[in-house]
Amino acid sequence: MNIAEYFIKNKVISWMFTLILLIGGTFSYLGLGQLEDPEFTIKDALVITAYPGATPLQVEEEVSYLIEKEINTLPYIDEIKSINSRGLSQITVTMKNIYGKEELPQIWDELRRKVNDLAPNLPPGVGDPKIIDDFGDVYGIMWAITGDGYNYDDLKDYVDFLKREIELVDGVSRVSVAGEQQEVVFIEVSANKLASLGIAPSTINNLLVTQNTVQPAGALRAGPEYIYIHPTGEYTSVKQMEDLLIAKQGSNKLIYLKDVASVSKGYAEVPTNLIKFDHKNAINVAISFTSGVNVVKIGKLIDQKLIELDAERPAGIDIGVIYDQPKEVDNSVASFILNLVEAVAIVVVVLLIFMGVKSGLLIGLILLLTVLGTFLVMKGMAIDLQRISLGALIIALGMLVDNAIVVVEGILIGQSKGLTKLQSAKAIVKQTIWPLLAATIIAIAAFAPIGLSPDSTGEFASTLFWVLFISLFMSWITAITLTPFFADMFFKETSENAGNNDESEESDPYQGALFTVFK
C-alpha cells in the first residue's frame, strides 16, 4: 500500500500522529533548556608552582623545564606555554581540539598524576604544583554589591549571606565572589624603642606567630569521659594585639606591644582585584547555572529569592546588575517565536495569493507541525534552545515548506488531470518520495562539515547541523504522510474527477500556462 494511501485511509493513525506532533511538540518546547550560547569546553589547564627567592632563570631551568618535559609525555598535548617570573612558574597546557567534555576529565586526572609524581624530584624550597583546570563555568548573572558609607567588611558580610541563600536555589551551580580586599593588621615598630629596651624584632614576630595559632592541647580523662582542652590564643581585636606582652623572660618590667609599635587595622596596600561600579567600591557576585537547565526559569526563581531577601538587605546597600543572561535568552527566544509567526504568516499569505486559500492554510499547518515535531525530537536529543539552534531553525524555515508545496501542487495537478484526490496523492507521493528525500539529504549535507567537525568548531556549532537535520527530515516525513491526509480533508472532489480516472485523456495542465507566459 502506498504511504499516502495508508495515511488517508487510516484516519485514526493520522490524527494520532498529528496530536503527537501538536501536543508533544508544544510541551517539549516548554520543557527545552534555554541558554544564550551552546555549552563548550575550555581545553586549557594552568600549572602554578611557587619557588620563593628564585630568579626567573632559576625558575625556568629548575622548575618549568622539568614540569614541561613531564607533561609533554602525554599524547593529548597541543601546546605548552610558560611564564617564568621571580619565584613563580606558570605553565599553560592546551589540549588538542579533538577532545571534548567526555574525555577531558580523564585527561586532567592524568595531568595531575604526572605533575604530582614529579613533585618530589623538584629542588628543595619548591612548593607543591597547583593544577587549575576549572575554566568551564559560564556566569549567567553578575551583580555588583555597593553601599555608600559601608566598608568592605560590611559589604562582605552581606555578600556571604546572599551567597548562602542563592546557592540554595534549584538550578544554581556555583556562586563566586570577587573584589574582596585582604584585611590586614599593620604593626609599625619603632626601632629606637626596641633598641633601648634590648628587644630583637624577631622576638615580636615569634610571639605573634605562636600566639595566634590553633593547636591541639590534649584532653583530661574524668572517669569514662574525656574533656578536651581548647586553648584560646586567637586575637579577636586590635586591642588584644596591642596588649601582647613582649618583655624578656625574667624581666621585672611589663612591656607591651603598644609600647614599642603602632597597631592599626586596614586593607592590603596593593589590592589584588579592585572593582568599581558606578564609581563606587564594589564586590562582584557571579552565578553559574547547572547544565541543561532553562536559564529563564532559573532567573525568575533568583529574582523571586531576591524579593524574599530584600528585608534582610541593609539600608544603603544596592545590588547593581552587570549582566543578566536570563533576560537576554528570554529576548532571543521571544525574537525567534516572532520570526516563526512572521514566517508562517508570510508563507500562508503568499500561498493564499498564488495557490488558493485551502492550499495556503494546508501548507501553513504542515509548517507548524514540522516545527513542533522538531522541538519534540530536540527534547529527546537534549538539544537546548540557544543562538545556534535557534539560528538553525530560522535558516530552515525557508526550506521546510518545499516538500509540502511539491506534494500539494502535485495533488492539485492530478485533480486537474481528472484523477481523484486519493489517486492524485498516491501518484505524486510515489513519483516524488525518493527525489524529495534526495533533495533533503543534499540540503542537510551542506551543513554536515560544521556539525560533524571533530574540533572546537564542531563542538560549539554542532546543533546547527543536527537541528537542520531534524527539521528538514521532519518536513519530508510530514510531506508524504500528513500532507496527503489533510489535502484529502481540505480539497473537494470535483464531479469531473468522480467519473474520469484515466489521466492519459487529459493534457498537461502546465502547457497552456507556459504558452501564455512565453507567447
Side-chain angles (χ1 to χ4, degrees):
M1 180 182 289
N2 184 282
I3 189 170
E5 180 182 5
Y6 179 84
F7 274 84
I8 290 174
K9 290 185 176 180
N10 295 275
K11 299 185 182 299
V12 174
I13 294 178
S14 299
W15 279 116
M16 183 62 67
F17 186 31
T18 302
L19 291 176
I20 289 173
L21 295 181
L22 185 62
I23 300 176
T26 302
F27 279 97
S28 296
Y29 166 74
L30 297 176
L32 284 174
Q34 296 183 14
L35 303 172
E36 184 174 12
D37 292 306
E39 294 182 354
F40 62 95
T41 54
I42 297 177
K43 300 173 176 61
D44 292 345
L46 190 63
V47 181
I48 299 178
T49 310
Y51 192 5
T55 64
L57 181 60
Q58 288 175 316
V59 170
E60 179 184 3
E61 293 180 347
E62 300 179 19
V63 178
S64 296
Y65 174 73
L66 298 177
I67 296 178
E68 288 177 5
K69 183 179 178 181
E70 188 68 20
I71 293 176
N72 208 34
T73 60
L74 293 172
Y76 322 105
I77 305 300
D78 180 43
E79 186 179 28
I80 299 177
K81 295 181 179 179
S82 63
I83 300 175
N84 302 292
S85 55
R86 179 172 293 276
L88 187 65
S89 166
Q90 301 178 70
I91 302 175
T92 302
V93 185
T94 303
M95 301 301 169
K96 295 177 182 177
N97 282 333
I98 60 175
Y99 300 110
K101 60 182 180 181
E102 293 81 12
E103 300 89 0
L104 282 176
Q106 180 64 32
I107 293 175
W108 299 142
D109 288 342
E110 293 188 35
L111 175 64
R112 281 190 172 85
R113 286 199 297 269
K114 287 282 186 181
V115 175
N116 291 336
D117 291 344
L118 176 67
N121 299 326
L122 294 175
V126 176
D128 293 332
K130 297 180 180 179
I131 297 92
I132 304 173
D133 57 51
D134 189 10
F135 298 107
D137 282 340
V138 177
Y139 298 109
I141 296 178
M142 297 187 72
W143 297 326
I145 311 300
T146 60
D148 289 331
Y150 290 92
N151 56 34
Y152 279 107
D153 284 346
D154 300 327
L155 294 178
K156 186 176 181 301
D157 290 340
Y158 177 69
V159 166
D160 290 340
F161 163 75
L162 189 64
K163 178 181 177 181
R164 289 193 301 270
E165 295 295 330
I166 296 299
E167 285 177 336
L168 299 177
V169 177
D170 290 337
V172 173
S173 172
R174 176 184 297 182
V175 179
S176 299
V177 178
E180 302 171 293
Q181 299 305 306
Q182 180 64 43
E183 192 174 15
V184 296
V185 174
F186 296 99
I187 301 176
E188 300 178 22
V189 181
S190 171
N192 293 334
K193 291 182 179 180
L194 285 180
S196 62
L197 294 172
I199 300 174
S202 59
T203 302
I204 298 177
N205 180 68
N206 294 335
L207 287 172
L208 290 172
V209 171
T210 56
Q211 184 74 15
N212 202 37
T213 59
V214 178
Q215 294 180 348
L220 294 176
R221 183 172 181 177
E225 297 182 356
Y226 283 91
I227 301 175
Y228 290 93
I229 300 174
H230 177 69
T232 57
E234 301 93 348
Y235 295 118
T236 59
S237 66
V238 173
K239 180 67 170 58
Q240 289 184 354
M241 190 173 290
E242 289 179 338
D243 292 336
L244 174 65
L245 188 64
I246 62 173
K248 292 181 180 180
Q249 188 175 5
S251 175
N252 57 358
K253 294 182 180 179
L254 296 179
I255 303 174
Y256 300 98
L257 180 61
K258 61 184 177 183
D259 296 330
V260 297
S262 172
V263 183
S264 61
K265 186 178 179 181
Y267 299 98
E269 294 181 350
V270 180
T272 55
N273 187 10
L274 189 63
I275 296 177
K276 293 281 188 178
F277 184 79
D278 286 344
H279 307 288
K280 302 175 184 177
N281 292 331
I283 295 179
N284 175 258
V285 177
I287 304 172
S288 63
F289 306 120
T290 54
S291 177
V293 299
N294 186 331
V295 299
V296 177
K297 180 180 178 181
I298 305 304
K300 292 179 180 178
L301 292 177
I302 292 175
D303 290 340
Q304 182 62 36
K305 192 69 173 179
L306 284 181
I307 294 174
E308 296 174 3
L309 299 176
D310 190 63
E312 305 292 334
R313 179 170 56 88
I317 289 184
D318 299 318
I319 302 177
V321 178
I322 300 175
Y323 177 65
D324 193 337
Q325 187 187 57
K327 291 183 179 179
E328 296 294 331
V329 173
D330 194 26
N331 293 335
S332 298
V333 175
S335 177
F336 164 73
I337 297 301
L338 178 62
N339 289 334
L340 176 61
V341 173
E342 291 176 347
V344 173
I346 291 171
V347 169
V348 171
V349 170
V350 170
L351 294 175
L352 287 175
I353 296 173
F354 293 100
M355 295 187 68
V357 175
K358 293 181 179 179
S359 299
L361 293 176
L362 170 58
I363 295 174
L365 174 61
I366 296 300
L367 174 59
L368 178 61
L369 292 175
T370 300
V371 174
L372 291 176
T374 302
F375 290 145
L376 183 61
V377 180
M378 287 173 61
K379 179 65 175 178
M381 296 180 62
I383 298 177
D384 301 322
L385 289 178
Q386 24 79 6
R387 289 182 181 179
I388 304 300
S389 60
L390 290 176
L393 283 170
I394 294 173
I395 292 172
L397 285 177
M399 299 182 282
L400 294 183
V401 296
D402 293 348
N403 293 333
I405 289 176
V406 171
V407 174
V408 171
E409 187 179 25
I411 293 174
L412 294 174
I413 296 302
Q415 286 188 289
S416 67
K417 290 181 178 181
L419 300 176
T420 64
K421 292 184 293 183
L422 179 59
Q423 290 173 331
S424 299
K426 288 172 56 179
I428 189 61
V429 170
K430 181 179 179 180
Q431 179 184 356
T432 61
I433 182 172
W434 302 121
L436 288 178
L437 178 60
T440 302
I441 292 174
I442 291 173
I444 293 171
F447 298 90
I450 298 176
L452 302 180
S453 176
D455 56 11
S456 298
T457 302
E459 182 183 10
F460 183 79
S462 62
T463 53
L464 177 68
F465 167 73
W466 289 112
V467 172
L468 282 165
F469 175 87
I470 295 167
S471 59
L472 293 179
F473 193 70
M474 184 65 68
S475 73
W476 176 76
I477 293 175
T478 54
I480 63 175
T481 57
L482 295 181
T483 302
F485 168 66
F486 284 111
D488 183 70
M489 294 181 55
F490 280 35
F491 300 151
K492 290 183 178 180
E493 197 81 75
T494 62
S495 58
E496 298 175 354
N497 295 345
N500 185 2
N501 296 333
D502 187 5
E503 60 177 303
S504 63
E505 295 180 6
E506 291 292 332
S507 60
D508 188 351
Y510 284 118
Q511 193 173 33
L514 290 173
F515 177 75
T516 302
V517 173
F518 293 103
K519 184 175 179 181

